[in-house]
């Protein structure tokens, strides 16, 4: 793994500043996995009266990715102590592999790369001769190939999976007040609205409330 990155600020006017950042990285992911076989005997020792047969499995693969991510933002100073801003950022998380020790099989497919497009509009300020701060942010994030952990009911283990696409949006507010030299008051409020916009082959569990046929796309 290696990366190169840079971040630059450019003053368009006395109050308006543009920020541009970029990152180039190369991921090299190699894995070799082997399991099963003796797992059946281990289960039998822990659970008397059982004699499960767990076939051996193995896999190996090498993956390399070149990715470019970055950020662009505009910041406008309302005063010396406050500003508003808008930003866009592209994020990336490399492939991975999750092989629980008690897994009974292996499909040989590593996790796909995760991407996120993040948008923000915000306000930042310091007040009362720097004794207080108040910040507010509206955000919108769209994830592709979201990497999550999910329960596999057939093998009774938690596995890492790609959970399709997800959208998250909301509002975050935080405030801080230095009341005395020894007392600081803080407050934080977050509203979050999140949903999966695409989750193919999602596991279904009972009770099935929203979709009695458990049909997901």
């Amino acid at each position: 793994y290696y990366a190169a990155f840079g971040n630059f600020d450019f003053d368009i006017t006395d109050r308006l500043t543009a920020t541009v950042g970029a990152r180039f990285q190369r991921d090299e992911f190699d894995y070799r996995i082997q399991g099963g076989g003796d797992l059946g005997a281990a289960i039998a020792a822990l659970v008397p009266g059982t004699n499960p047969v767990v076939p051996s499995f193995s896999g190996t693969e090498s993956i390399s990715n070149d990715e470019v991510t970055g950020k662009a933002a505009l910041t406008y100073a309302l005063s010396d102590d406050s500003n508003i801003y808008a930003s866009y950022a592209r994020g990336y998380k490399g492939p991975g592999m999750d092989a629980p020790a008690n897994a009974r099989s292996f499909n040989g497919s590593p996790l796909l790369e995760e991407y996120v497009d993040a948008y923000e509009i915000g306000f930042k300020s310091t007040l009362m001769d720097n004794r207080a701060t108040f910040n507010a942010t509206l955000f919108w994030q769209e994830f592709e190939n979201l990497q999550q952990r999910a329960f596999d009911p057939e093998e009774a283990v938690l596995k890492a999976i790609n959970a399709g696409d997800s959208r998250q949006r909301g509002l975050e507010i935080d405030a801080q007040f230095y009341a005395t030299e020894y007392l600081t008051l803080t407050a934080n409020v977050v509203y979050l609205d999140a949903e999966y916009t695409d989750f193919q082959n999602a596991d279904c569990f009972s009770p099935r409330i929203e979709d009695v046929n458990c049909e997901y796309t």
Side-chain angles (χ1 to χ4, degrees):
Y1 172 86
Y2 58 85
F5 55 90
N7 195 79
F8 305 94
D9 291 334
F10 177 71
D11 293 329
I12 300 174
T13 69
D14 291 341
R15 292 182 177 272
L16 183 63
T17 300
T19 300
V20 177
R23 177 187 181 93
F24 170 81
Q25 64 187 67
R26 180 176 180 84
D27 282 336
E28 294 183 356
F29 176 62
D30 301 316
Y31 73 84
R32 178 181 178 85
I33 185 169
Q34 186 171 350
D38 295 336
L39 179 60
I43 296 175
L46 293 173
V47 185
T50 63
N51 187 26
V53 177
V54 181
S56 298
F57 57 87
S58 62
T60 181
E61 191 170 342
S62 178
I63 302 172
S64 61
N65 291 318
D66 294 331
E67 293 292 337
V68 177
T69 56
K71 177 181 179 178
L74 286 174
T75 303
Y76 183 78
L78 300 172
S79 67
D80 291 339
D81 301 319
S82 63
N83 66 67
I84 56 176
Y85 69 92
S87 69
Y88 163 77
R90 172 78 166 175
Y92 162 82
K93 183 190 293 184
M97 176 58 63
D98 180 45
N102 57 336
R104 303 187 186 186
S105 63
F106 175 66
N107 61 15
S109 298
L111 294 173
L112 298 175
E113 302 85 350
E114 177 184 314
Y115 299 91
V116 59
D117 293 304
Y119 307 84
E120 286 189 8
I121 298 176
F123 169 78
K124 294 184 178 182
S125 65
T126 57
L127 309 167
M128 303 173 63
D129 294 327
N130 294 326
R131 292 187 59 191
T133 62
F134 177 83
N135 306 312
T137 304
L138 283 168
F139 60 89
W140 184 297
Q141 301 172 343
E142 296 182 353
F143 291 86
E144 178 184 352
N145 297 330
L146 183 65
Q147 297 178 4
Q148 289 282 16
R149 295 187 66 81
F151 181 72
D152 186 335
E154 294 184 359
E155 298 191 12
V157 295
L158 282 170
K159 290 184 176 181
I161 64 169
N162 284 111
D165 300 335
S166 173
R167 188 266 301 144
Q168 301 179 11
R169 60 188 178 188
L171 169 67
E172 182 175 1
I173 299 174
D174 67 85
Q176 192 170 62
F177 176 61
Y178 302 96
T180 70
E181 183 179 356
Y182 305 101
L183 177 63
T184 301
L185 305 176
T186 61
N188 300 89
V189 177
V190 177
Y191 168 75
L192 177 64
D193 175 29
E195 67 174 356
Y196 289 107
T197 57
D198 179 28
F199 196 162
Q200 298 183 15
N201 302 318
D203 290 325
C204 296
F205 300 94
S206 216
R208 300 166 180 171
I209 299 175
E210 295 185 358
D211 188 339
V212 295
N213 296 318
C214 205
E215 296 176 354
Y216 295 92
T217 58

